[in-house]
Amino acid sequence: MARPPIDEAALVTRYGPHPNYEPPGGWQSEAQDPAQKLVPTHCCFCGQQCGIQLKVRNNQVIGFEPWEEFPFNRGMLCPKGVKRYMQSTHPDRLLAPLLRDASGFRPVPWSEALSFTATRLRQIQERHGRDAVAVFGGASLTTEKAYLLGKFSRVALGTRHIDYNGRLCMVSAGTAYKLVFGVDRAPNPWSDIPLADVMIIAGSNTAECSPITTDYVWRFHDAGGKLIVIDPRMTPITRNADLYLPVRPGTDLALFLAMMHVILRDGLENRSFIERHTTGFEAVAESAKSWEPATAGRITGVPPEAIVKAAHWFAKAERGFALHARGLEHHSKGVENVLGLINLCLATGNIGREGAGCVMITGQGNGQGGREHGQKCDQLPGQRSISDPEARRHVAKVWGIEPNEIPQAGYSAMEIIDAIHRGEIKGLLSICFNPIVSLPDANFTQEALEKLEFLGVIDFFMSETAHYADVVLAGSLQEEEEGVTCNVEGRVIHIRQAVTPPGNALPDSQIVCDLARELGRGHFFSFRSPREIFNELREASRGGIADYYGITYEKIDKQMGVFWPCPSEDHPGTPRLFEGGRTFHPDGKAHFQVTEYRESGDPVNDAYPIYLTTGRVVSHYLSGTQTRRIGALVDQYPEPRVEIHPRLAAAHDIQDKDWVIVTTRRSEMRVQAAVVRTIRPDTIFIAYHWPGSKSVNRLTHRTLDPRSKIPEYKVSACRIRKER
Amino acid sequence: MQNTQGTLDYAFFIDPSRCIGCEACVNACAECETHRGHTMIHLEFLDREHTIATVPTVCMHCHRPTCAEVCPADAIKQTEDGIVQSSLKPRCIACSNCVLACPFGVPKMKSDLEQMMKCDMCYDRTSAGKRPMCATVCPSQALAYVPMDTILRMRPEKPTNVFFFGNEHVTTKVFMMAPREVDAINVDITDFMWESQS
């Protein structure tokens, strides 16, 4: 039984979210009592991982100063970065481990919390088998923590079920890039963006979700580049687009197939590149044959002449570049959508060159590094497959165990929730993940959490998922522990410790190591610092795809980041992959992949005739556990709104700011209208950062991409009515 | 373009066409030491129903500041470097003359402080050789603080600091990016009317 011990309102009163508006000591305190040091580190929000300097006084973060020397963002920040410093002394911070009791939660000593957690996990495993316990990780953790968690699950708990919230982010792109190129990383550094001639931005609200990339795109545009934006909404990046294709949600692949059709029909493909550097082209060409622009036009809602124009611009460009994000990937055909776009780049020879390529915009803080070293259900450190005997031998040796002691691949995040719901998994340890807000079909997620026999949560704030916990272990913010992350470009960067965790909160990695000791496996986790974890990680990744062996903290500082792979200490790192057209596949070639267009998993019909799509806004990050506690960011976008085109609004007698009921096959929500001409009239948009009655994820559905297991957040069928 | 500076000197440039409405500037402004906790930037969503266009406004620092000219208490001073400062607290009578007179709509009456405050181009920073907070963080570089030379080299638009508000002719320290063929910015409809041109 894991229902919240007291009602939600009482938990919110006690633990927040409360908006924090001022730095410690108030706005004027720094004038009297200035900062003692400036710590150059990185923003904790989003995959851009902007450089920032935190001002520290008396072991508290009291402000920031732009870090103009860091080459990726050169001092630039978004509003989240500007206000990120408001967390470390936040009144909602958890300052001690908490055990649930009848009155809610009570603080307990660490020894009691850890021994309780270990005992419950062991009891469940003894009674129901090792795999009755699962672990959830997160892509905002440093790479050291992510690595440690993968090892903890497999070595201390011996369960095969560990997965992470990057399952909701990068897995469609990752699967596609592995299929085509044999590696999961954005292949080009961002410095290539301004050098392109024609750029496609597909399914990316770049300005709001990866704001720093905006300046790169504007510089490309200033230099005369032509910008093509593909999205059902005109997001701010569209304001300087030369061609805007308002694609219907879920139909991107049809658009790409038609562009391929036009390129081949008009003989614009790069034959010599295709012959020298690719395999599988003929089958892809065959699959595009039936995709006349008019056919795709009917499906996508994009004028056929615009499809032809986009294809011609891209194919005729000396240097074509494609940027894509969750708008392509959050689909039951997310992998195919990405493959469709990559195929266009391959057919036109646009990979592995300066200013030419195809890149994913990684979304979460350590979305790249967090998926490379072992918290994915099917991977071992170094982006190695867990089913590869060679990889198992290598990692087992580093870990000091036998290869057959490493469990085989487990369930992905959504499959773990399914297994909990059907009673197969009974215990869950979760860190840096707020599934009740971020997973689709939240009512189902809630039922699953209620069925758990044990839920342990490690977090720095009381997340909505922690309400269901038996024990909440007070962990650390990004700036409270040293480590590395990997930014959107594949650049490994150094997170410096600015302060120690407040009160009795502990660094996350220490909590995990202490738990391993409680479980009797402490001898595998004798790390005294993140640096020791990193040095083991370097060995574990050695010779793998994401090879970190040659990376050290010192080298990162000296070079302002090191791009992996970096196989030896004298190796400078690899900013651009596939130079000379050579991929990571053994044959060195890029493998074209055939794609097949199909319907979304929640199709529109007469009863649910409107597309619902979801996403982020600029002032919030993921499930909002952090940003819903920062006053300025809350004020900027306090509650979800539903974007509705005036034509659709008029058909339902809805005016701006009216309250609207949005209903899908799962549930309904009440939300205020924002009537805007910048969204397709057959589509509505709601941002997903809120829990409970404000959670659009109670409306979304559980259909997964069969290969990447990503949920289809970007298309649900719905109907709307004005609240009377 | 009336440029009184050398091309290697840093200057402030506004290009509304780059703005993404993210409010990084609004939030960063409140971090400046001279007015910490108060933001001086205006970020307008022009008409969200019809467009995603947004416009950031900082003080243009007029060469002959209207706000100072209309101040009955002589509370608004321009320093030698051309920066028009916030009102002097001991002098300001909170009459709002400046708020009404500014052609760009910049000064803010802080009724809780009984004082007019406005953007001082991060005087604590720029006077010490640092860049203003808003233009440093702006992720679209709609607000940019760079040498004139850089802007002329990198941007297709042209900086101008000459504005006509009807018959009022204003030149400013801050530059607005305008199409190449435009020398001055007219913001009065009569300037575009046939009657006015004949």
Side-chain angles (χ1 to χ4, degrees):
Chain A
M1 214 297 287
R3 292 214 172 94
I6 50 174
D7 77 75
E8 297 265 338
L11 285 168
V12 169
T13 304
R14 202 178 298 174
Y15 299 105
H18 298 106
N20 184 29
Y21 284 93
E22 296 200 359
W27 287 113
Q28 301 312 319
S29 81
E30 201 188 326
Q32 284 110 46
D33 193 1
Q36 295 150 344
K37 60 175 174 175
L38 270 181
V39 180
T41 184
H42 295 271
C43 181
C44 52
F45 298 131
C46 115
Q48 309 276 291
Q49 291 289 283
C50 294
I52 185 173
Q53 302 183 88
L54 297 179
K55 288 181 180 171
V56 176
R57 180 185 68 205
N58 302 335
N59 201 31
Q60 292 185 322
V61 180
I62 60 166
F64 82 98
E65 179 62 30
W67 185 13
E68 297 187 54
E69 292 74 27
F70 189 71
F72 177 78
N73 60 305
R74 295 170 290 122
M76 294 185 286
L77 294 167
C78 80
K80 297 185 292 293
V82 168
K83 295 298 181 194
R84 57 94 73 217
Y85 77 86
M86 292 272 184
Q87 300 175 81
S88 79
T89 55
H90 196 289
D92 289 346
R93 278 300 297 273
L94 300 177
L95 301 176
L98 302 170
L99 267 189
R100 69 186 279 147
D101 63 14
S103 68
F105 293 93
R106 67 181 163 89
V108 294
W110 273 105
S111 55
E112 185 180 346
L114 291 167
S115 112
F116 173 80
T117 305
T119 306
R120 296 300 308 275
L121 290 170
R122 272 285 176 255
Q123 279 172 351
I124 290 171
Q125 288 190 310
E126 278 160 17
R127 223 171 287 153
H128 305 285
R130 293 190 151 194
D131 295 337
V133 162
V135 175
F136 268 167
S140 300
L141 297 171
T142 60
T143 308
E144 287 84 349
K145 295 181 193 178
Y147 167 82
L148 185 68
L149 205 63
K151 182 179 176 185
F152 172 83
S153 305
R154 285 147 185 151
V155 177
L157 286 172
T159 177
R160 64 190 181 97
H161 300 309
I162 170 168
D163 209 46
Y164 76 132
N165 61 11
R167 187 64 57 184
L168 323 175
C169 193
M170 295 315 298
V171 288
S172 290
T175 305
Y177 280 66
K178 279 207 141 182
L179 285 167
V180 178
F181 302 116
V183 59
D184 168 14
R185 197 204 102 179
N188 296 62
W190 254 225
S191 53
D192 273 1
I193 292 176
L195 305 176
D197 297 316
V198 172
M199 182 168 313
I200 293 174
I201 296 184
S204 162
N205 179 0
T206 311
E208 293 202 78
C209 305
S210 41
I212 304 308
T213 300
T214 307
D215 179 56
Y216 285 90
V217 175
W218 288 171
R219 281 192 275 145
F220 146 82
H221 199 250
D222 286 345
K226 280 186 181 156
L227 176 60
I228 303 168
V229 174
I230 301 172
D231 203 301
R233 303 162 64 213
M234 300 176 94
T235 65
I237 204 73
T238 317
R239 69 179 296 181
N240 289 319
D242 298 283
L243 182 60
Y244 168 58
L245 310 181
V247 67
R248 186 174 282 134
T251 67
D252 308 79
L253 181 58
L255 185 69
F256 299 145
L257 283 162
M259 285 174 69
M260 180 68 87
H261 174 98
V262 172
I263 288 169
L264 302 179
R265 180 195 70 189
D266 298 345
L268 299 172
E269 74 275 21
N270 184 337
R271 278 280 161 188
S272 69
F273 177 87
I274 293 167
E275 277 160 26
R276 271 185 293 150
H277 299 297
T278 71
T279 64
F281 171 70
E282 294 310 322
V284 166
E286 185 63 32
S287 72
K289 262 198 181 136
S290 61
W291 285 94
E292 305 271 349
T295 310
R298 275 189 296 278
I299 291 173
T300 60
V302 176
E305 47 290 7
I307 298 175
V308 172
K309 190 186 263 189
H312 282 186
W313 282 8
F314 193 71
K316 289 175 182 172
E318 169 64 25
R319 284 166 299 191
F321 208 90
L323 288 166
H324 60 91
R326 306 307 81 68
L328 282 195
E329 302 153 23
H330 277 159
H331 294 275
S332 56
K333 53 181 176 301
V335 175
E336 280 99 327
N337 284 343
V338 177
L339 291 172
L341 186 58
I342 298 176
N343 285 345
L344 291 174
C345 292
L346 294 183
T348 53
N350 282 307
I351 65 159
R353 286 186 290 129
E354 192 177 73
C358 186
V359 304
M360 54 184 106
I361 306 179
T362 288
Q364 288 173 275
N366 193 18
Q368 181 66 50
R371 69 183 192 257
E372 295 163 357
H373 298 290
Q375 63 172 342
K376 271 177 102 166
C377 63
D378 56 354
Q379 277 191 6
L380 289 174
Q383 220 178 80
R384 292 175 157 100
S385 168
I386 202 167
S387 58
D388 171 11
E390 185 63 31
R392 295 171 68 86
R393 263 196 300 280
H394 173 80
V395 174
K397 195 172 165 210
V398 175
W399 287 351
I401 59 175
E402 292 301 315
N404 61 13
E405 291 180 75
I406 299 177
Q408 291 293 336
Y411 295 146
S412 66
M414 288 286 286
E415 294 167 323
I416 287 175
I417 292 290
D418 287 341
I420 294 170
H421 199 274
R422 64 173 181 266
E424 180 186 329
I425 291 174
K426 298 176 187 297
L428 178 66
L429 183 68
S430 177
I431 176 170
C432 189
F433 197 163
N434 192 9
I436 192 97
V437 179
S438 57
L439 290 180
D441 194 3
N443 293 338
F444 184 92
T445 310
Q446 181 181 337
E447 286 171 19
L449 293 182
E450 287 175 359
K451 288 181 179 182
L452 280 169
E453 288 180 15
F454 172 77
L455 173 61
V457 167
I458 305 173
D459 217 329
F460 37 74
F461 291 125
M462 180 70 80
S463 70
E464 287 75 18
T465 297
H467 292 178
Y468 294 79
D470 298 277
V471 59
V472 183
L473 304 173
S476 54
L477 285 169
Q478 183 231 39
E479 59 265 36
E480 291 166 358
E481 195 172 350
E482 191 178 24
V484 304
T485 60
C486 185
N487 86 341
V488 66
E489 312 168 285
R491 186 199 300 255
V492 180
I493 53 176
H494 189 184
I495 306 299
R496 287 189 180 80
Q497 186 186 33
V499 293
T500 55
N504 287 328
L506 286 179
D508 292 335
S509 67
Q510 188 184 330
I511 297 172
V512 174
C513 291
D514 287 351
L515 262 181
R517 251 187 299 283
E518 286 289 334
L519 289 162
R521 306 286 277 177
H523 48 296
F524 297 106
F525 296 86
S526 56
F527 305 108
R528 284 163 304 175
S529 67
R531 183 183 287 268
E532 291 186 0
I533 302 172
F534 186 68
N535 283 336
E536 186 180 292
L537 179 165
R538 291 170 57 206
E539 288 288 352
S541 74
R542 189 176 192 174
I545 296 165
D547 190 337
Y548 276 42
Y549 181 69
I551 303 177
T552 62
Y553 290 172
E554 288 70 26
K555 186 167 173 178
I556 295 173
D557 294 345
K558 195 164 149 233
Q559 294 187 198
M560 293 281 190
V562 180
F563 291 79
W564 68 258
C566 179
S568 63
E569 290 197 29
D570 58 358
H571 189 287
T574 317
R576 189 181 299 108
L577 305 180
F578 321 143
E579 301 248 27
R582 192 169 171 83
T583 73
F584 281 47
H585 284 307
D587 63 2
K589 304 221 165 153
H591 298 178
F592 273 102
Q593 303 287 320
V594 173
T595 56
E596 195 182 336
Y597 183 77
R598 58 182 189 278
E599 270 264 31
S600 118
D602 191 38
V604 294
N605 62 9
D606 289 346
Y608 299 96
I610 302 163
Y611 297 96
L612 163 67
T613 190
T614 69
R616 290 196 207 171
V617 298
V618 70
S619 69
H620 287 288
Y621 178 59
L622 308 184
S623 75
T625 303
Q626 291 161 278
T627 51
R628 283 187 280 111
R629 288 180 158 87
I630 299 175
L633 302 179
V634 173
D635 291 353
Q636 194 170 334
Y637 205 104
E639 298 205 316
R641 296 192 288 263
V642 55
E643 288 184 6
I644 308 176
H645 189 276
R647 204 189 301 167
L648 179 62
H652 294 272
D653 190 27
I654 292 166
Q655 314 271 323
D656 191 51
K657 297 196 171 62
D658 278 352
W659 288 92
V660 176
I661 307 296
V662 180
T663 310
T664 66
R665 295 183 175 99
R666 273 74 47 202
S667 189
E668 66 175 35
M669 81 183 282
R670 178 177 177 269
V671 60
Q672 210 168 13
V675 177
V676 294
R677 281 176 205 281
T678 50
I679 186 167
R680 289 179 58 94
D682 56 5
T683 304
I684 62 170
F685 168 83
I686 304 174
Y688 73 87
H689 309 285
W690 294 268
S693 63
K694 295 174 187 168
S695 165
V696 72
N697 271 332
R698 292 189 303 121
L699 274 59
T700 50
H701 61 106
R702 307 179 54 70
T703 313
L704 303 182
D705 181 290
R707 283 182 284 190
S708 73
K709 314 284 185 185
I710 209 168
E712 193 159 51
Y713 294 108
K714 290 295 184 273
V715 203
S716 299
C718 75
R719 60 172 179 253
I720 61 171
R721 66 183 162 86
K722 180 176 170 173
E723 185 183 60
R724 300 285 174 187
Chain B
M1 182 180 74
Q2 192 179 86
N3 184 7
T4 55
Q5 296 171 300
T7 56
L8 295 177
D9 290 339
Y10 277 73
F12 200 115
F13 304 89
I14 304 176
D15 182 354
S17 78
R18 296 171 94 87
C19 179
I20 53 173
C22 76
E23 302 191 31
C25 55
V26 175
N27 284 299
C29 185
E31 298 292 332
C32 259
E33 283 308 314
T34 54
H35 49 82
R36 204 156 179 220
H38 300 278
T39 186
M40 299 295 139
I41 296 212
H42 303 258
L43 193 280
E44 314 286 349
F45 284 76
L46 293 188
D47 177 358
R48 186 58 190 92
E49 177 174 350
H50 294 277
T51 176
I52 43 178
T54 48
V55 178
T57 306
V58 297
C59 178
M60 301 299 289
H61 297 283
C62 301
H63 292 138
R64 289 186 53 215
T66 313
C67 58
E69 288 180 354
V70 302
C71 178
D74 197 18
I76 303 171
K77 298 294 182 191
Q78 188 176 30
T79 36
E80 262 178 26
D81 46 16
I83 300 294
V84 183
Q85 303 286 346
S86 273
S87 72
L88 297 165
K89 175 71 175 129
R91 282 176 171 250
C92 182
I93 56 171
C95 69
S96 288
N97 258 14
C98 55
V99 176
L100 296 169
C102 172
F104 300 100
V106 165
K108 288 186 175 182
M109 181 52 59
K110 292 283 177 187
S111 45
D112 48 336
L113 303 175
E114 295 194 323
Q115 184 194 4
M116 181 281 278
M117 292 176 77
K118 58 179 277 302
C119 153
D120 58 7
M121 210 187 276
C122 287
Y123 204 65
D124 59 316
R125 300 175 66 84
T126 46
S127 62
K130 288 196 223 168
R131 298 160 77 212
M133 199 57 122
C134 57
T136 308
V137 303
C138 177
S140 68
Q141 288 296 289
L143 302 176
Y145 188 76
V146 292
M148 174 63 78
D149 175 60
T150 306
I151 280 286
L152 294 174
R153 206 162 21 87
M154 303 293 290
R155 301 272 180 98
E157 301 86 2
K158 182 169 89 172
T160 183
N161 62 346
V162 180
F163 301 85
F164 289 97
F165 297 87
N167 293 328
E168 193 182 357
H169 172 209
V170 178
T171 62
T172 61
K173 184 176 175 68
V174 171
F175 292 86
M176 187 70 77
M177 301 307 288
R180 279 278 173 199
E181 62 276 14
V182 170
D183 291 322
I185 293 177
N186 289 298
V187 288
D188 189 321
I189 191 171
T190 61
D191 295 319
F192 300 92
M193 286 164 54
W194 181 76
E195 295 95 307
S196 312
Q197 288 166 12
S198 61

